């Protein structure tokens, strides 16, 4: 984030405003539903009934991160129609209106200071030092992989067994992982357990985790329901939030008192860049990125990997049409093999 000069007050009549700040007395998942529904409605109303830009003022909570992901996708679909302002401060209409003259789609305001995000070069030194400080995985402990029947989970499981000598895997999914994968991993010397579980059901997940000696958690579960922001509904947002955000939050709650060496979430570039046609998916993955920061701030291990699209014909992208693939290629993304 780069600080910029404080702009003069703007004309409140030049903008429409949606203030979506979290309720501190509500849990993060309830907040996420409430705020994304509120902002989605404001976005859709603006596109049909307003000629002014909409300034969305949200905070810096987990729920606010989901809102930011949704707004960034709307910005990708409708440039110059939405301005995202993240701030836990109480802001006046004039302060929010001042953002309209900055030609910046995304700002953060802290103690009256205006900041904008910018890509910068960095080195691997800090990352390497952080990696060296990570605790070692217990070779006798179990590594949990959610979304265990998915293509990415299979790629990951093979990698953990062949490259990191993991010997105990628990694959959790609503459907059964392939027998071929289990046999392959078993032949490599790994002990594989499977459990039928919807990770968005806290009670089910607690039952599966009870008594398991976990050393690491990988959250790969997810779902797609792509569509432009005008076509999204609270139900379509909820369907994508459940496996991603709800599952991650319940894993966080149920394992936070365990001595984990790693807590790794499969996120998406959609949440970082605001992918067009993926407002609900961007919201869910932005929640994961914020959860990683939340855990780190509490001294807990966390890593959120914002993958691009994977070239897996039998995974989540199997539902994408030719039009979807062409849209993604136009955005500059190539599939990961």
């Amino acid at each position: 984030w780069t600080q910029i000069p404080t702009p003069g007050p703007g004309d409140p009549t030049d903008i429409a405003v949606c203030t979506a700040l979290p309720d501190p007395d509500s849990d993060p998942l309830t907040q996420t539903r409430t705020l994304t529904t509120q902002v989605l409605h404001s976005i859709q109303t603006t596109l049909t009934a307003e000629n002014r830009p909409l300034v969305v003022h949200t905070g810096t909570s987990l729920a606010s991160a989901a809102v930011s992901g949704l707004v960034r996708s709307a910005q990708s679909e409708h440039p110059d129609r939405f301005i995202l302002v993240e701030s836990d401060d109480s802001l006046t209409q004039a302060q929010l209106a001042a953002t309209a003259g900055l030609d910046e789609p995304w700002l953060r305001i802290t103690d009256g200071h205006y900041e904008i995000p910018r890509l910068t070069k960095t080195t691997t030194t800090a990352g390497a030092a952080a990696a060296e400080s990570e605790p070692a995985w217990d070779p006798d402990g179990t590594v949990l992989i959610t979304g265990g029947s998915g293509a990415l989970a299979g790629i990951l499981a093979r990698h953990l067994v062949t490259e990191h000598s993991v010997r105990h895997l628990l694959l959790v999914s609503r459907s059964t992982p392939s027998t071929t994968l289990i046999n392959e991993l078993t032949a490599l010397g790994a002990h594989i357990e499977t459990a039928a579980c919807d990770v968005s059901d806290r009670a089910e997940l607690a039952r599966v985790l009870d008594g398991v000696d976990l050393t690491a958690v990988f959250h790969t579960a997810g779902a797609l329901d792509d569509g432009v922001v005008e076509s999204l509904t609270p139900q379509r947002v909820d369907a994508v939030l459940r496996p991603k955000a709800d599952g991650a939050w319940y894993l966080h709650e149920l394992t936070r008192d365990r001595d984990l060496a790693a807590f790794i979430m499969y996120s998406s570039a959609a949440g970082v860049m605001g992918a067009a046609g993926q407002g609900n998916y961007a919201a869910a993955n932005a929640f994961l990125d914020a959860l990683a920061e939340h855990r780190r701030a509490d001294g807990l291990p966390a890593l959120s990997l914002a993958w691009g699209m994977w070239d897996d014909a039998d995974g989540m992208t199997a539902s994408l049409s030719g039009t979807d693939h062409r849209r993604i290629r136009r955005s500059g993304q190539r599939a990961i093999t």
Side-chain angles (χ1 to χ4, degrees):
W1 289 91
T2 300
Q3 187 170 332
I4 60 174
T6 301
D11 183 351
T13 63
D14 290 339
I15 60 167
V17 172
C18 172
T19 299
L21 297 175
D23 177 0
D25 296 325
S26 180
D27 70 272
L29 297 182
T30 300
Q31 290 179 32
T32 298
R33 263 51 172 211
T34 300
L35 295 188
T36 54
T37 298
Q38 175 189 345
V39 172
L40 178 62
H41 176 73
S42 293
I43 288 172
Q44 292 172 337
T45 299
T46 294
L47 292 173
T48 58
E50 283 277 6
N51 292 319
R52 301 176 297 171
L54 173 68
V55 177
V56 178
H57 172 203
T58 192
T60 58
S61 66
L62 296 178
S64 298
V67 167
S68 296
L70 172 63
V71 173
R72 290 197 295 274
S73 281
Q75 290 172 329
S76 296
E77 296 172 23
H78 300 277
D80 304 322
R81 294 300 305 274
F82 306 105
I83 300 170
L84 174 62
V85 177
E86 296 178 347
S87 179
D88 292 323
D89 299 346
S90 177
L91 302 176
T92 66
Q93 294 284 100
Q95 283 178 297
L96 293 172
T99 65
L102 296 175
D103 196 28
E104 294 288 343
W106 184 10
L107 302 97
R108 180 172 292 176
I109 303 175
T110 306
D111 297 329
H113 299 296
Y114 287 67
E115 297 176 322
I116 54 176
R118 286 293 183 266
L119 287 175
T120 58
K121 290 184 178 181
T122 185
T123 67
T124 59
T125 305
E132 290 176 1
S133 67
E134 295 289 348
W137 294 16
D138 178 1
D140 296 320
T142 296
V143 176
L144 168 72
I145 302 178
T146 69
S149 63
L152 297 189
I155 294 170
L156 171 63
R158 293 183 185 94
H159 176 75
L160 292 174
V161 171
T162 59
E163 301 295 328
H164 295 277
S165 302
V166 169
R167 289 296 173 261
H168 301 277
L169 284 173
L170 173 57
L171 305 180
V172 172
S173 180
R174 288 182 297 176
S175 55
T176 304
S178 75
T179 302
T180 301
L181 173 65
I182 295 173
N183 290 342
E184 178 186 344
L185 297 174
T186 301
L188 291 170
H191 175 70
I192 310 301
E193 294 185 43
T194 64
C197 175
D198 180 351
V199 294
S200 67
D201 185 319
R202 192 183 192 281
E204 272 192 36
L205 186 59
R207 172 184 55 79
V208 169
L209 297 182
D210 184 36
V212 178
D213 180 22
L214 288 177
T215 187
V217 168
F218 282 85
H219 182 43
T220 79
L224 289 174
D225 188 5
D226 289 358
V228 294
V229 71
E230 293 95 326
S231 72
L232 295 182
T233 63
Q235 292 75 24
R236 293 183 68 182
V237 174
D238 178 73
V240 175
L241 285 173
R242 276 189 279 109
K244 278 277 185 184
D246 293 21
W249 180 252
Y250 294 146
L251 285 167
H252 161 68
E253 285 188 321
L254 294 169
T255 67
R256 65 174 302 146
D257 295 327
R258 303 198 189 191
D259 188 22
L260 293 181
F263 187 99
I264 300 174
M265 296 173 285
Y266 272 33
S267 178
S268 170
V272 178
M273 299 185 295
Q278 292 191 306
N280 46 6
Y281 195 60
N285 286 288
F287 182 100
L288 263 58
D289 298 342
L291 178 57
E293 295 185 11
H294 175 78
R295 285 180 58 90
R296 285 283 186 176
D298 285 347
L300 298 171
L303 183 64
S304 187
L305 299 170
W307 297 108
M309 184 178 72
W310 285 77
D311 186 18
D312 56 315
D314 61 342
M316 285 171 53
T317 58
S319 63
L320 297 181
S321 66
T323 301
D324 294 323
H325 284 281
R326 288 190 292 274
R327 166 176 53 81
I328 293 169
R329 283 196 297 271
R330 284 197 302 271
S331 74
Q333 296 189 62
R334 294 183 178 180
I336 302 169
T337 62

